[in-house]
Amino acid sequence: MQLFSFIFLFSFTLSFAQPPKPTSAEIYNKLEKLNFLGTALYIAAHPDDENTRLISFLANEKHARTGYLSLTRGDGGQNLIGLELREQLGVIRTQELIEARKVDGGEQFFSRANDFGYSKMPDETLEIWEKGKVLQDMVWVIRRFRPDVIINRFDHRSPGTTHGHHTSSAMLTQEAWDLAADAKYETKQLEYVKTWQPKRLLFNVSWWFFGGRENFEKADKSKYINLQTGVYNPLLGKSNQEIAALSRSKHRSQGFGSTGQRGDDMEYLELIKGDDLKDKQNLFEGIDTTWNRVKGGKPVGDAIALILKNFDFKNPSASVPALADVYVMIGKLEDKHWVAIKQEEVKNIIAACSGLYLEAVAEHQAVTPGSPLKVKWEAINRSAIPMSLESISGQKDIAAPLDNNVNQSGEFDIKIKESANYTSPYWLTEKGTSGMYRVDDLQKIGIPDIIREQFIDFNIRIGTISIPFKREIVYKYNDPVMGEVYQPLDIIPAVTTKILNKVQLFTNNKKQTISIRIQAGIDNCKGDLKFELPNGWKVTPASIPFDLARKGSETTVTFEVAPPAEPTEATGKSVATINGKEYDRELIMITYPHIVSQQVLMPSTAKFTKADLKIRGEKIAYIMGAGDNVPESLKQMGYEIALLTPEGISAESLKDFDAVVLGIRAYNVLDALAFKQQILFDYVKDGGNMVVQYNTTGDLRIKELAPYPLRISRDRVTEENAKVTFLEPSHPVLNYPNKLSDKDFKGWVQEQGLYYPDQWAPEFTPILSSHDKGEEAKKGGLLVAKYGKGYYIYTGLSFFRELPEGVSGAYRLMANIIGLGK
């Protein structure tokens, strides 16, 4: 019970590095929060669904403990900053949410639901998600977080009008509201938490539910709670909207940079369940948010009020003795829920007031289970308040006084436990389903981040009071450009491997060479590597020995693989063996400047596809849009690929290419492309093929997307295995050089296509038709137009997902598109 309380409370507050100490004004703001005992929980479906204006308002203006429960980690979205998709994109978006909460003052939670892609109806969503499990997770978070107020981003009464995940998040909240208070529901949870009944449930109404801003402005909003959130916070020096915009702008992978606003602003809320409000500006009306709600808590509230009254902005450390007394007073209360929360708040305020700096730094950035590790520690009290260091993680022999601004430091050795878990997102440890991550440990559910286990306890005495401060062991170094750089301490396997081609495509029976990189996690890393494929595939040799002298060193070995005679798809697996123990993980590092560096350990596997594939044409120019792995797939098919920027487009540069392919969302993200459109059209007129992959309806950089009129819509086919009808069975794109059939649309992943055109000129020929259940046929997935001597092709089919997954039919269709007229 105590272990879980620590993990749950601090997994999202402990940073990988020492954060800047708050200013006196920010400390005062934290003191006001210390004296407020109200909690709000915002619930939606994805990262970037949350209303940062409302979260910031509740956390900073009302001083409420405010959380955001995102049911998914956003794995099914697109990535504007890199090539990561699916699980790796989910890791990025998880970190972006954690960074957003650091800005707006909220706390972050997730369920086990997997963002499997766009869904039109909630019944489909809830079936793939496994409704019962997601509901269990929501109830667990509610019981654990104990919100007085729950706010939904979406309306539970409007299925089919928005993303199915959106509506499902609201529908599930209606059930979770009742089940959280039901003592007969999920009794296993009640071994750790109590039942909980929130006071009220609200729906956060917004303009898009009215079909546009103009309609919203005209609508009668008198029935809603009109919450005035456009406030200025002088302690933080920003308007609420400015804080919210900084938080929103952390969603960089989705391109949600936001400009801060000032002045009046309003949020509209509809009461769905619970007690009505007389005071429309107080969502906590009727809820005791003072220390009086805790048995014996009134003296604590009085003591904090006195600290606030006497707070010295020029000398915040003067409040430390009184804060230490408050720490002790809180510890004597019976309500362990509030004790854990508020004692941690007090400790953070004490450290901020006194400039108390405590740090534990590892000698190495990565270590293996069972290995020794040297840790350097530092402790300094930058105030006149008498303090002393009593012990570090029980070691009393390093006790020392902490005099004003006198640095105390040293080092000691620890040993990482043999049973230590590898550092990796816990929700990716076990293989899940298309709709759910597998997490069997109840106490991990809801935790947003990687669970780190290596901490050092600093026991600090202030007067007669001993207070423990826990610090995560980190790694840091000095960069000549960036200066002091922090990284998390990672626990790694003794050896990791990476199959260099994630998809290996065979178009005949010839053997191919498979390259695998081996990386040592320890010194003297010796063993054998084998490569496993199902029967029918032949791998030689059976195994390859490796011997790496130094930790971190690498070598690359090769196997030869012969495919089976018939077309098939298989998964290959790399397995290293050291002293009889098998290691089958690939180490992936995700590093972006706006998030904490992430280590992800995934099975070391790759997709192997034997396809009946012919290609025509050789040289392709690829213009990267928002980022995808299609160029690598085209290389596997046998094409020679040149990556062009818009600036590199000219009649001369294009003349030798058989086709020009534009990456996903190219017209959404490349401003310069608008000035090259006529050159591209002329290229087509002279006999080239121009293949344009999907773009979204918003922020198109050009009006004339094609040489003929063409309008993009939001139409999509989300069911990846939806039946495909050939509208023009004799068209060359379906017949040459590969004769296509409905088998070529089997085994597609996530979704068949998105953002299909819904209007086009008669010069375009629609090739395919498909639709989701209960909908009309969508014919805009693949449009072909002859223009001059060449072809212009627009496709919303999700080649950017299918090709990197080794889907045979997607290869064959893309080859036919590129080979039109050849």
Side-chain angles (χ1 to χ4, degrees), residues 565-596:
E566 298 300 320
T568 187
E569 297 176 3
T571 298
K573 183 179 181 181
S574 173
V575 180
T577 303
I578 299 176
N579 296 327
K581 184 175 181 179
E582 293 188 342
Y583 298 88
D584 62 355
R585 300 284 114 170
E586 175 186 349
L587 191 155
I588 301 165
M589 294 303 299
I590 298 177
T591 305
Y592 289 98
H594 67 299
I595 60 174
V596 176

Side-chain angles (χ1 to χ4, degrees), residues 97 100 103 198 223 276 305 322 339 344 350 370 402 406 415 430 577 612 614 640 683 697 721 731 750-751 759 795 822:
L97 270 187
V103 173
K223 65 177 181 179
D276 199 1
V339 167
E344 189 62 25
I350 288 172
L402 294 180
V406 176
K415 184 178 181 181
E430 302 291 338
T577 303
D612 179 9
K614 303 177 184 68
E640 182 182 336
Y683 161 79
T697 54
N721 288 317
H731 196 284
Q750 187 160 327
E751 58 191 341
Q759 291 183 16
T795 178
K822 296 178 176 56

Side-chain angles (χ1 to χ4, degrees), residues 5 72 100-101 119 127 158 200 267 377 415 426 489 534 610 748 759:
S5 296
T72 76
R101 298 294 80 79
S119 173
E127 180 179 347
S158 55
R200 51 183 61 95
E267 288 294 330
W377 61 270
K415 184 178 181 181
Y426 71 89
L489 171 67
K610 170 68 183 298
W748 284 47
Q759 291 183 16

Side-chain angles (χ1 to χ4, degrees), residues 112-133:
R112 289 172 290 177
N114 190 333
D115 179 4
F116 56 85
Y118 194 90
S119 173
K120 295 177 180 177
M121 297 298 294
D123 54 349
E124 177 199 18
T125 298
L126 295 174
E127 180 179 347
I128 296 174
W129 270 357
E130 301 179 51
K131 174 186 174 181
K133 291 182 180 179

Side-chain angles (χ1 to χ4, degrees), residues 462-508:
I462 302 173
T464 61
I465 299 169
S466 182
I467 302 177
F469 290 85
K470 190 173 289 288
R471 293 292 182 264
E472 181 183 333
I473 301 176
V474 297
Y475 174 75
K476 72 175 180 179
Y477 64 95
N478 185 73
D479 182 270
V481 176
M482 301 298 296
E484 188 176 57
V485 176
Y486 282 85
Q487 290 181 309
L489 171 67
D490 291 330
I491 311 299
I492 60 173
V495 63
T496 55
T497 65
K498 178 181 180 179
I499 306 168
L500 298 189
N501 281 336
K502 288 304 175 186
V503 173
Q504 197 78 22
L505 176 64
F506 294 77
T507 59
N508 52 43

